[in-house]
Amino acid sequence: MHETLDGYRKYFNQIVGFFVVEDHILHTTQGLVNRAYIDELWEMALSKTIAALRTHSSYCSDPSLVLDLKNLIVLFADTLQGYGFPVNQLFDMLLEIQDQYSETLLKKWSGVFRNILDSDNYSPIPVTNEEIYKKIVGQFPFQDAELEKQPFPKKFPFSEFVPKVYNQIKEFIYACLKFSEDLHLR
């Protein structure tokens, strides 16, 4: 289940389908099932679902798959909450998955940063014209009045890794924040 989103999707669809049918039976028949029976089933299903998600999600090392799983869990929880089932435990478990997601992001970006630093020549960036200067300043918001006054060609006081790392840090922060969307948390 931890290798593809389809495995999780099928799992959630089966659970939702079962409880939607049970809820329909509760509301359209007399005495076939009662609320206490359905609540007991839900508590049992919820504990097994959370245990399964903890186990399978812990093997997932792809941050985009973890993010997609989070979105599926939110849809799953919102759907069942709409039928009156308590889902707070699912949102609590999502906080655990967020920690795992952060770890996978750290592993991914440590490799990205390592590659940037390993491939850099650590020489100041030479600039031959205004167009290149604006391009670099657009990537990394650097302001130096003395450098701006100098005629072309001129050099930035840093190498290529500075704007590259700056942009990757922005991407990392964006990826971290992406998990928090739609979690219904303060």
Side-chain angles (χ1 to χ4, degrees), residues 37-49:
Y37 169 75
I38 293 175
D39 288 345
E40 184 180 323
L41 282 175
W42 171 244
E43 286 301 317
M44 182 179 63
L46 183 61
S47 67
K48 289 183 186 255
T49 301

Side-chain angles (χ1 to χ4, degrees), residues 15 23 101 111 116 135 138 156 161 182:
I15 296 168
D23 186 72
Y101 175 72
I116 290 171
K135 180 182 174 193
F156 279 99
F161 90 88
D182 303 322

Side-chain angles (χ1 to χ4, degrees), residues 27-151:
H27 290 94
T28 59
T29 64
Q30 295 271 337
L32 214 54
V33 295
N34 60 31
R35 190 76 209 171
Y37 169 75
I38 293 175
D39 288 345
E40 184 180 323
L41 282 175
W42 171 244
E43 286 301 317
M44 182 179 63
L46 183 61
S47 67
K48 289 183 186 255
T49 301
I50 288 173
L53 287 172
R54 279 189 179 126
T55 300
H56 291 285
S57 68
S58 67
Y59 294 114
C60 186
S61 59
D62 178 12
S64 61
L65 181 60
V66 176
L67 189 61
D68 290 340
L69 172 61
K70 184 257 340 184
N71 291 330
L72 271 180
I73 293 171
V74 169
L75 286 173
F76 173 72
D78 286 349
T79 301
L80 287 167
Q81 189 173 32
Y83 283 93
F85 296 102
V87 294
N88 291 341
Q89 291 178 6
L90 285 170
F91 285 108
D92 292 343
M93 188 207 49
L94 280 172
L95 295 176
E96 295 172 27
I97 292 177
Q98 184 176 23
D99 291 339
Q100 176 196 339
Y101 175 72
S102 297
E103 287 178 31
T104 61
L105 287 179
L106 285 172
K107 286 178 188 174
K108 177 183 174 181
W109 258 275
S110 70
V112 169
F113 291 139
R114 190 174 299 110
N115 288 339
I116 290 171
L117 294 173
D118 288 346
S119 66
D120 196 62
N121 64 9
Y122 297 99
S123 299
I125 301 173
V127 181
T128 56
N129 60 41
E130 185 73 25
E131 184 179 320
I132 296 172
Y133 182 84
K134 286 183 178 182
K135 180 182 174 193
I136 293 170
V137 171
Q139 292 174 345
F140 179 69
F142 179 74
Q143 294 179 352
D144 184 354
E146 292 297 319
L147 183 65
E148 288 179 22
K149 291 177 188 175
Q150 292 177 6

